[in-house]
Amino acid sequence: MTRQVVLLGATGSIGQSTLEVLRRNPSKFTLVAAAACSNVEAMVSLAEEFKPQIVALADVQAASELKDRLGALKLRTEVASGLDGVLEVAAAAEGAVAVAAIVGAGGLKPILEAAGRGCTIALANKEALVMSGQLFFAEVQRGKARVLPVDSEHSAIFQSLPESAQQTLGHCDLEGCGVHRILLTGSGGPFLHTPLEELPHVTPQQALRHPNWSMGPKITVDSATMMNKGLEYIEARYLFNAAPEQVEVLIHPQSVVHSMVSYQDGAVLAQLGLPDMKTPIARALAYPGRVASGVAPLNFAALGELSFCAPDLRRFPCLKLAMEASVTGQSATTALNAANEQAVAAFLAGKLPFDGICNLCRQVVESLYRHETYSLEDIMSLDAEARTLALRLLEKC
Ligand code: NDP
Ligand code: MG
């Protein structure tokens, strides 16, 4: 029997890599539903090729155009629109694997919908977890869903942990598993060696040139500021129920060791591979098995040097800010995520300098500190408040 797949964020970088894995394994997976925001062309070709039962676009006008296009092609695929349409696609995840690859906070409600249906969530959308943490796992437990990480570092950590931890994501006992520490690696991005005084003047074009990974624009800028590693630190703490001191961030410029787990007996387990998201996507889709992903095996003889060092927090203040927010708690990480999304959009639009991203995020997090927020309403209202404040601060830039 084939495994059914629901793809949230089908037209993006992770979405397209997922389709490549499905294409390579037609006898193992069937795409039953897909959602995106407004990319009609990519949805038309997806519908023609994979013939899912339902597709949705969050943008109502784009959805209407898609409906006309699929009608003209005489395809039977149903077209849904708006947030409700995306939620309808997420609801099709019952008994399926839902690949959560919508970028940013917009992915949260669809993920919670899918979790409530008791599916397997292959989680790429780290922002959703960063902004909701406990609520996310409460919903996963309530719906008897399961989470499998797709973020390459978290997939590597997952694969380096014993099965007992893999089965209990969100509340696993790292110490009981003999774990000393999780070693979270990151390349350091395009500005690892840029003179510090040049950083305020780097352009979006330079920030979008990641040395190792090909990704969507938001996460590529996050990689340049290392906010991405900060969000991943928060993600790791939630996924693996880790104390702050149980996660150590390491710079590893070659992006070959995707992360490691250091054990109390001195052993270190790691997962290695070429920097290509098809590997962790295939891992999550086929778990506990493995399928071909199309990624070439590592050629160790040709690899050259693998190096590691501690991150310089003066160079990467966003990483420091995110690690501090993680210790402060849920309200700080919710506010941080919202502020960062606004700041990155402003940087890409040429309205904020590179170093302004961290300053803006810090101001929002410090202004909106409040007691812990756990309900969806509280989280969404804090998210909205943080965005409003960020926009107000941006007007003054
Ligand atoms: P992209 O920007 O390439 O793609 C984003 C996807 O989300 C698109 O399909 C887009 O649709 C869709 N989308 C955006 N807003 C909405 C919405 N409101 N409702 C429905 N769909 C929406 O991003 P990436 O693929 O790079 O990243 C996706 C997620 O995966 C992010 O959370 C990122 O942090 C995470 N991730 C990505 C990695 C990578 O290598 N790219 C690695 C690890 C994690 P449309 O095209 O129509 O706008
Ligand atoms: Mg990652």
Side-chain angles (χ1 to χ4, degrees):
M1 224 177 74
T2 65
R3 197 167 278 189
Q4 300 201 325
V5 177
V6 169
L7 185 48
L8 301 164
T11 53
S13 168
I14 293 286
Q16 295 294 304
S17 293
T18 304
L19 294 180
E20 282 185 49
V21 177
L22 300 188
R23 210 169 268 135
R24 194 167 279 272
N25 298 278
S27 62
K28 300 199 172 87
F29 305 109
T30 307
L31 184 72
V32 291
C37 185
S38 60
N39 190 336
V40 176
E41 286 312 321
M43 256 326 182
V44 169
S45 51
L46 176 151
E48 276 189 291
E49 182 180 356
F50 292 93
K51 304 193 170 44
Q53 292 156 19
I54 177 168
V55 294
L57 288 176
D59 183 298
V60 175
Q61 210 172 335
S64 151
E65 193 188 322
L66 178 64
K67 194 167 183 173
D68 293 346
R69 294 279 301 276
L70 297 193
L73 290 167
K74 304 213 174 341
L75 288 174
R76 288 213 199 105
T77 300
E78 186 188 330
V79 179
S81 78
L83 173 61
D84 285 347
V86 177
L87 293 178
E88 224 181 299
V89 164
E94 194 160 346
V97 183
V99 179
I102 291 175
V103 63
L108 178 62
K109 285 182 180 168
I111 290 181
L112 295 181
E113 176 68 38
R117 305 277 164 171
C119 65
T120 297
I121 298 169
L123 181 72
N125 179 204
K126 66 195 86 179
E127 296 93 342
L129 180 58
V130 165
M131 71 188 283
S132 72
Q134 290 89 341
L135 171 79
F136 178 97
F137 276 106
E139 203 53 26
V140 163
Q141 252 182 327
R142 199 187 60 76
K144 298 193 172 53
R146 101 165 279 176
V147 178
L148 296 173
V150 166
D151 210 351
S152 58
E153 296 77 2
H154 305 74
S155 173
I157 296 160
F158 179 86
Q159 293 178 65
S160 305
L161 283 169
E163 202 189 339
S164 62
Q166 295 182 350
Q167 300 294 342
T168 50
L169 284 200
H171 48 98
C172 52
D173 175 9
L174 288 181
E175 187 151 4
C177 294
V179 171
H180 167 237
R181 207 171 258 184
I182 286 167
L183 304 174
L184 179 67
T185 56
S187 69
F191 305 133
L192 183 57
H193 303 296
T194 306
L196 284 180
E197 63 278 10
E198 286 179 23
L199 283 181
H201 314 294
V202 297
T203 63
Q205 209 184 6
Q206 290 172 297
L208 287 172
R209 226 176 285 135
H210 195 281
N212 305 338
W213 295 94
S214 160
M215 311 180 282
K218 193 264 178 184
I219 184 174
T220 307
V221 174
D222 283 348
S223 299
T225 59
M226 277 196 89
M227 179 65 90
N228 182 50
K229 211 49 55 185
L231 298 177
E232 290 183 354
Y233 175 88
I234 301 166
E235 181 186 12
R237 287 201 56 214
Y238 283 133
L239 279 174
F240 306 112
N241 191 26
E245 63 281 4
Q246 282 177 314
V247 184
E248 180 181 339
V249 176
L250 274 177
I251 301 274
H252 167 48
Q254 297 80 13
S255 298
V256 167
V257 176
H258 295 307
S259 277
M260 305 178 261
V261 176
S262 161
Y263 286 87
Q264 289 159 11
D265 61 6
V268 179
L269 299 192
Q271 184 256 338
L272 285 70
L274 289 175
D276 189 319
M277 289 306 294
K278 291 198 291 298
T279 298
I281 291 168
R283 181 66 184 136
L285 287 175
Y287 185 84
R290 288 190 185 264
V291 293
S293 69
V295 177
L298 264 186
N299 178 350
F300 277 87
L303 255 188
E305 189 195 0
L306 296 183
S307 55
F308 301 89
C309 65
D312 174 357
L313 296 180
R314 277 179 318 146
R315 175 177 295 278
F316 298 116
C318 284
L319 172 60
K320 183 165 184 270
L321 182 65
M323 290 170 78
E324 286 166 356
S326 172
V327 174
T328 306
Q330 179 70 79
S331 63
T333 62
T334 306
L336 175 73
N337 180 66
N340 182 54
E341 285 189 28
Q342 297 300 138
V344 170
F347 170 67
L348 286 172
K351 293 180 184 154
L352 186 69
F354 186 71
D355 59 341
I357 296 176
C358 189
N359 295 337
L360 187 87
C361 290
R362 183 177 293 114
Q363 283 183 70
V364 172
V365 172
E366 285 173 0
S367 312
L368 291 185
Y369 176 74
R370 58 171 67 153
H371 292 297
E372 287 313 274
T373 41
Y374 295 123
S375 74
L376 182 59
E377 292 68 33
D378 285 350
I379 286 168
M380 295 316 290
S381 105
L382 180 55
D383 176 89
E385 209 180 321
R387 282 169 204 274
T388 308
L389 176 57
L391 289 175
R392 205 163 345 117
L393 292 168
L394 274 165
E395 276 169 20
K396 294 188 199 148
C397 286

